Amino acid sequence: MAADLSRREALATALALTALPAARGDEKPKPAEKPAVIPENALVVLVMDPLSKDLSCPCVSGYGQRDYDKFGKYLAGKVGRPVAVVYGESLPGALKKSEGKAHLIIGKDSVIRATAPGAKLEVTQLAALTGKDGKTTQTGLVCVAAADKAITPADLKGYTIYFGNAAAEEKSAAAVQALKEFGLEVPARLDTCATCSEGATKVVEEAQAGKKVAAVISSYAQPLLEGCGTIKKGALRVIAETDPVPFIAAFATGSLTAAERDAVRAALLAVGKDKDLSAAIETKAGFIEPAKKK
């Protein structure tokens, strides 16, 4: 534990004077959803990846514009049947658009695991998507207003801290664990924000009103908050980072037979060999075998 705290303290100190660059939040407002047109016998892919082009915004060049429609065409060629790609910011929302159909779900690992049972779906992880940096993980970033006096999480005693919903591991469980390791008492009932943009905005506005406040945002959202104009450049400062947690993963549902699941897994693991597709979905090595759970 001592060694881990030293690592965290060093990281917090290094980040303390670094202004939070670019970024919007997690999801952008969408118009009224319409049911998707799904061909007969189609393999239905639900996409909940917040960095997909249909769920993000083109505010930062080359980032957050993953083209899963192109992935759908690739997958159709591999499995020999039509593929329908349906986008949704939540699993219930995506299922509503697909009229309850789902064979493959791609999105935040913790969110899919947390919400699948409520949707009465049994899911099996097939692969994890690497980002442009080759990693399959993300972290939670503890942020304060740029002018705030807090330097490390140990300085946040007496602050209101906004976490994410329980399904967002990087902004909830991982963040709670990190702050506890700094000796902070975290309340049993957390103050939460549905999106990173909401949390960032609260910090800026409440700090201006003289309140002591911090928020945890997702590292993937960092390049979007300023880029989309949610907050002014340099308005936030990162003072700590959680341990890495899984980010985007692909899960099969019970609607796939064992043979179909194997074919889809093979197609996923071959994405990295297709340079054009890899560029289109902003990945360095495509989908890879998921890490073993400890």
Side-chain angles (χ1 to χ4, degrees), residues 13-15 48 53 74 80 92 99 181 189 194 265 281:
T13 300
L15 291 173
M48 298 159 51
K53 67 176 184 178
Y74 159 86
E99 298 183 337
E181 290 178 359
R189 186 184 179 92
R265 177 189 283 114
I281 61 173

Side-chain angles (χ1 to χ4, degrees), residues 43-285:
L43 188 155
V44 179
V45 181
L46 303 187
V47 173
M48 298 159 51
D49 182 348
L51 294 182
S52 65
K53 67 176 184 178
D54 283 59
L55 300 178
S56 185
C57 62
C59 304
V60 181
S61 179
Y63 186 74
Q65 292 297 291
R66 289 175 172 165
D67 188 347
Y68 282 99
D69 289 341
K70 188 168 185 175
F71 167 79
K73 294 177 181 178
Y74 159 86
L75 185 59
K78 292 290 186 180
V79 300
R81 62 187 285 195
V83 170
V85 179
V86 179
Y87 298 88
E89 293 177 350
S90 69
L91 185 52
L95 285 169
K96 184 177 181 179
K97 290 177 63 179
S98 70
E99 298 183 337
K101 298 176 182 179
H103 297 94
L104 183 68
I105 307 173
I106 301 176
K108 291 177 66 175
D109 183 290
S110 65
V111 171
I112 294 174
R113 292 181 189 276
T115 58
K120 298 181 179 180
L121 290 177
E122 293 185 4
V123 295
T124 302
Q125 186 178 7
L126 300 183
L129 180 64
T130 59
K132 285 187 171 182
D133 58 2
K135 297 179 180 179
T136 60
T137 57
Q138 61 168 330
T139 60
L141 305 177
V142 182
C143 304
V144 295
D148 196 282
K149 295 181 179 180
I151 301 300
T152 75
D155 299 322
L156 297 180
K157 291 182 180 179
Y159 278 56
T160 295
I161 303 174
Y162 292 107
F163 295 84
N165 295 327
E169 183 179 7
E170 77 283 5
K171 296 188 291 182
S172 186
V176 168
Q177 179 63 28
L179 293 176
K180 283 184 175 179
E181 290 178 359
F182 273 98
L184 289 179
E185 292 186 11
V186 180
R189 186 184 179 92
L190 303 178
D191 290 309
T192 62
C193 290
T195 65
C196 293
S197 52
E198 181 186 352
T201 300
K202 278 183 174 291
V203 168
V204 172
E205 293 179 348
E206 293 184 16
Q208 289 176 345
K211 296 181 180 180
K212 293 183 176 181
V213 60
V216 186
I217 68 168
S218 308
S219 57
Y220 76 83
Q222 186 180 7
L224 297 172
L225 289 167
E226 289 178 358
C228 293
T230 300
I231 58 173
K232 292 182 179 180
K233 185 175 182 179
L236 295 184
R237 182 163 47 82
V238 179
I239 63 171
E241 184 173 18
T242 71
D243 284 334
V245 300
F247 189 23
I248 301 301
F251 290 78
T253 73
S255 297
L256 287 177
T257 66
E260 290 171 333
R261 187 175 63 235
D262 289 344
V264 171
R265 177 189 283 114
L268 288 168
L269 297 179
V271 165
K273 298 177 182 178
D274 187 323
K275 292 184 178 179
D276 289 340
L277 179 59
S278 294
I281 61 173
E282 300 175 7
T283 177
K284 182 176 182 179

